[in-house]
Amino acid sequence: MRIFRPMMLLLAVAVALSLALTGFASPPVPSSLAQYAAGTVKILPLERAFPLDEPLELSELRARDRVRHARILLGGGGRQSSVGGVVDFPVQGSSDPYLVGLYFTKVKLGSPPTEFNVQIDTGSDILWVTCSSCTNCPHSSGLGIDLHFFDAPGSMTAGSVTCSDPICSSVFQTTAAQCSENNQCGYSFRYGDGSGTSGYYMTDTFHFDAILGESLVANSSAPIVFGCSTYQSGDLTKSDKAVDGIFGFGKGKLSVVSQLSSRGITPPVFSHCLKGDGSGGGVFVLGEILVPGIVYSPLVLSQPHYNLNLLSIGVNGQMLPIDAAVFETSNTRGTIVDTGTTLTYLVKEAYDPFLNAISDSVSQLVTPIISHGEQCYLVSTSISDMFPTVSFNFAGGASMMLRPQDYLFHYGFYDGASMWCIGFEKAPEEQTILGDLVLKDKVFVYDLARQRIGWTNYDCSMSVNVSVTSGKDIVNSGQPCLNISTRDILLRFFFSMLLALFLCIFFSLT
């Protein structure tokens, strides 16, 4: 036995070093866009809500935004706490208003699981899907997707939310709680254009693909509260843009973001980077995208939505003559960041000075024209060479710099010239709403733990690093393998050396 001891000692050291270098793992598991070394990843592919070859008129787009803004005004709702893994939403779509950049993703609910196509919405809180008992609900969709209905009796894990449940009586609820004859907690959304949905709250299993550690892939799940729609009206009944429901990503306590983070399944931070070119796409993750140059502005406290303090607007470095009081936040005023709104809406007191400043700065370079009631310009060369940069200046010293393509959209051609139109609208209410047109080509981080939003310009076709613990435990979104931190490598080496020492002692005693 003693003859083989040196060989065994060498073998022990070799094994330990091998483990240190490989991280105790088999070859890394490819990810969709992001993986987390010590947590879980839920992968939910997003698809366009409207085909690229079916553009809508701007009036239809404004009508859709009005529906969304009515939803935004409803408020926030239900439960909260800790930190865990990354949820990744690969994005498809475009910010071009004539390609209609609406986004939806797939979720699986129930046992056995049923897949639903639900629209992503950062302006509301509740995830709701269509119930099998729904009346006035569409049964087909012009989006080329199959519609599904949630069958509560058919799910072995479905449960009701009773009228006595704290969720039903929560003062944070976004909807009017109603109590049915069978003791079910009901809800009702009513939107500005007269459309709406009503139903009752359910609990059931939310299914997702998970990566646990570096090489273990598993089907995972978590119980959540969601709405089961039994009635829909207005635009929600139209088949041309019908989906199975709405996936609320607001800051209310009943949003899926809050429900998952309260149990440590996901971190209390999410980020997105929306591509602005013709092909669109991007990334949307529950986690913190880490790129250089992010500036932060504090969220307005005690507001149910993602409100920021907009202080001023500059054009070509010159501040516009706008009273800062028009941007102050109240129950009906303020500035909201909303990925679900396509255009950007400025209060009247800001819209008129902005439009005048843009027109004055290019009066000698372009030909102004009114098209379908919109201010447009006939341009003979690149808009970047003619139109000024714009700055939105927020509390905390954070400025959002806008290129011409961030406030103009291409409408087509007229008399051989390219026609570009202002993508800002006069807000019908007293709220300024920043939509996809200005949010594109930027990383946005919604840091709910620190109550702030950050952003920086970024090429959203590139991969991004994502963290779930404020800079630690970095993962790579857009690459096929993990980006392990130096700290992790040192820890592995330390424990591997301990293992080598243990094996040396063991063999020396045998």
Side-chain angles (χ1 to χ4, degrees):
M1 187 67 182
R2 294 182 182 276
I3 297 176
F4 297 101
R5 186 174 298 160
M7 185 178 297
M8 291 180 177
L9 292 176
L10 288 174
L11 179 61
V13 173
V15 170
L17 288 175
S18 176
L19 289 173
L21 294 174
T22 60
F24 302 99
S26 56
V29 177
S31 68
S32 164
L33 281 177
Q35 296 180 353
Y36 176 45
T40 60
V41 177
K42 278 63 69 179
I43 301 173
L44 301 166
L46 290 180
E47 301 176 18
R48 285 192 55 83
F50 290 88
L52 291 175
D53 58 353
E54 295 183 11
L56 296 182
E57 289 298 321
L58 200 60
S59 59
E60 296 179 73
L61 199 59
R62 283 197 297 267
R64 185 191 72 87
D65 282 342
R66 280 197 297 272
V67 174
R68 289 199 37 72
H69 301 165
R71 184 182 308 145
I72 284 173
L73 293 172
L74 289 174
R79 215 162 250 168
Q80 205 183 56
S81 175
S82 208
V83 38
V86 173
V87 183
D88 176 30
F89 302 86
V91 175
Q92 294 182 1
S94 171
S95 61
D96 189 327
Y98 287 99
L99 297 180
V100 191
L102 298 179
Y103 307 102
F104 62 93
T105 189
K106 296 180 186 296
V107 298
K108 291 182 179 180
L109 295 168
S111 302
T114 300
E115 188 173 73
F116 300 94
N117 294 288
V118 287
Q119 181 184 344
I120 281 193
D121 182 7
T122 59
S124 66
D125 300 323
I126 309 300
L127 165 64
W128 63 263
V129 296
T130 304
C131 261
S132 56
S133 59
C134 185
T135 59
N136 275 18
C137 296
H139 286 73
S140 62
S141 175
L143 307 179
I145 59 174
D146 293 328
L147 299 183
H148 299 95
F149 299 85
F150 183 76
D151 180 19
S155 173
M156 296 181 294
T157 50
S160 299
V161 176
T162 64
C163 297
S164 59
D165 193 294
I167 294 173
C168 195
S169 58
S170 172
V171 296
F172 297 104
Q173 234 184 171
T174 62
T175 59
Q178 303 164 347
C179 194
S180 65
E181 294 180 357
N182 56 359
N183 198 32
Q184 285 183 312
C185 181
Y187 68 85
S188 178
F189 288 102
R190 193 60 52 190
Y191 305 134
D193 67 342
S195 66
T197 176
S198 59
Y200 51 88
Y201 287 117
M202 298 285 302
T203 62
D204 210 337
T205 304
F206 174 63
H207 298 268
F208 46 84
D209 294 329
I211 299 173
L212 309 173
E214 292 183 34
S215 58
L216 176 61
V217 179
N219 293 323
S220 299
S221 61
I224 63 167
V225 175
F226 63 97
C228 198
S229 174
T230 58
Y231 179 81
Q232 294 169 23
S233 61
D235 282 348
L236 291 176
T237 65
K238 295 180 179 179
S239 294
D240 59 340
K241 46 188 173 181
V243 289
D244 294 319
I246 292 177
F247 200 172
F249 275 90
K251 61 189 289 190
K253 292 187 176 182
L254 272 186
S255 74
V256 171
V257 175
S258 296
Q259 291 189 61
L260 296 181
S261 66
S262 69
R263 283 168 281 163
I265 298 171
T266 62
V269 55
F270 69 92
S271 315
H272 60 72
C273 192
L274 306 175
K275 288 175 61 178
D277 61 18
S279 62
V283 63
F284 188 109
V285 298
L286 298 189
E288 180 183 0
I289 293 180
L290 302 174
V291 294
I294 293 182
V295 295
Y296 286 91
S297 184
L299 284 166
V300 180
L301 300 180
S302 303
Q303 293 296 314
H305 308 292
Y306 300 115
N307 285 75
L308 294 175
N309 275 317
L310 178 60
L311 304 178
S312 63
I313 298 176
V315 174
N316 253 352
Q318 299 296 314
M319 294 302 106
L320 299 182
I322 304 172
D323 186 352
V326 304
F327 299 125
E328 291 180 355
T329 302
S330 67
N331 290 336
T332 58
R333 301 175 70 101
T335 301
I336 295 174
V337 179
D338 178 29
T339 59
T341 292
T342 305
L343 305 174
T344 287
Y345 292 78
L346 293 178
V347 292
K348 180 181 184 300
E349 297 88 339
Y351 177 83
D352 292 336
F354 170 80
L355 184 59
N356 292 336
I358 297 297
S359 295
D360 290 345
S361 68
V362 297
S363 60
Q364 304 300 315
L365 304 173
V366 302
T367 302
I369 184 175
I370 301 298
S371 177
H372 295 85
E374 306 298 325
Q375 179 62 64
C376 302
Y377 308 92
L378 299 181
V379 182
S380 59
T381 185
S382 170
I383 58 173
S384 299
D385 299 332
M386 296 183 173
F387 286 83
T389 58
V390 172
S391 64
F392 280 16
N393 307 303
F394 296 87
S399 292
M400 186 183 302
M401 304 305 297
L402 306 182
R403 308 158 301 166
Q405 55 265 44
D406 295 330
Y407 60 84
L408 297 170
F409 63 88
H410 190 229
Y411 190 70
F413 297 89
Y414 184 82
D415 282 348
S418 182
M419 183 162 63
W420 290 80
C421 301
I422 293 288
F424 288 10
E425 294 285 323
K426 191 176 299 184
E429 306 290 341
E430 294 182 308
Q431 285 185 321
T432 291
I433 300 177
L434 307 182
D436 291 340
L437 191 64
V438 302
L439 305 183
K440 69 178 186 294
D441 297 324
K442 301 174 184 66
V443 164
F444 265 81
V445 177
Y446 301 69
D447 188 345
L448 305 183
R450 294 183 178 90
Q451 290 293 292
R452 62 181 187 170
I453 291 182
W455 59 84
T456 190
N457 292 335
Y458 195 77
D459 180 356
C460 297
S461 64
M462 298 175 60
S463 64
V464 292
N465 287 329
V466 181
S467 169
V468 297
T469 53
S470 300
K472 304 174 185 176
D473 300 312
I474 300 170
V475 301
N476 187 277
S477 180
Q479 297 296 332
C481 60
L482 293 175
N483 180 1
I484 307 298
S485 66
T486 303
R487 181 198 66 175
D488 292 332
I489 296 174
L490 291 176
L491 285 174
R492 290 172 183 170
F493 186 80
F494 173 74
F495 285 112
S496 297
M497 290 302 97
L498 285 180
L499 176 60
L501 178 61
F502 171 79
L503 291 175
C504 288
I505 295 173
F506 173 79
F507 287 130
S508 67
L509 295 177
T510 57

